[in-house]
Amino acid sequence: MTETHHTLSVPAADATLQPQVLSGPSFGQDLVRTLHQATSVVGGLSFHDVETSDIEVSAFGAIVCTGDTPADALQAAAAVARQAPGLEIHALAWARTDGPREGTFEYKVTMTVTAPDPATGEHSGATHQERGRHLLGQPK
């Protein structure tokens, strides 16, 4: 399988954002459409009464580890963490889903991850708490 690289330009944040048309895999088009819709919703919110909240629209990678038992799914997630220690795990989600046969189940651990920026070595996205400490002059 060959990799296709796409470069997305990020338009200025305003209410007239238009989704970019991409050629290539459909998941790229799905991602752009989803980000556009999420950004439109966030752009229409009003924060007159709330000054201590942040909302961020981000695209994170997701790694889904599936197993026949809870232990299998967790072991698969642990194996990913061991094999790729540079990935930053931001969130874990647990699910029990219907299995391939009636009366059976599969277990899924979904890890939301980012990889470090090759130029800086840092992971993207500051958190609300990090910005607050920085603004208050406290060390990070």
Side-chain angles (χ1 to χ4, degrees):
M1 186 161 90
T2 61
E3 285 189 28
T4 306
H5 298 283
H6 299 282
T7 302
L8 293 176
S9 59
V10 179
D14 64 16
T16 61
L17 289 175
Q18 296 298 316
Q20 302 294 312
V21 178
L22 296 176
S23 60
S26 61
F27 70 83
Q29 295 172 12
D30 293 343
L31 177 61
V32 170
R33 184 178 56 252
T34 300
L35 288 173
H36 173 259
Q37 290 175 350
T39 301
S40 296
V41 168
V42 170
L45 295 176
S46 174
F47 292 100
H48 298 293
D49 298 331
V50 182
E51 295 179 6
T52 59
S53 298
D54 294 321
I55 296 179
E56 179 180 344
V57 176
S58 301
F60 286 102
I63 298 174
V64 180
C65 302
T66 305
D68 291 334
T69 68
D72 291 340
L74 290 168
Q75 286 294 338
V80 169
R82 280 191 297 275
Q83 290 295 319
L87 286 178
E88 180 77 17
I89 300 172
H90 296 280
L92 296 173
W94 177 259
R96 183 179 86 163
T97 62
D98 291 332
R101 294 178 310 283
E102 187 174 332
T104 64
F105 297 99
E106 289 182 334
Y107 300 87
K108 297 180 185 281
V109 175
T110 301
M111 298 186 293
T112 305
V113 300
T114 57
D117 182 293
T120 66
E122 299 206 8
H123 293 271
S124 64
T127 65
H128 172 73
Q129 291 81 9
E130 285 175 341
R131 282 195 298 273
R133 283 194 301 263
H134 179 69
L135 292 175
L136 295 174
Q138 299 174 358
K140 289 186 176 184

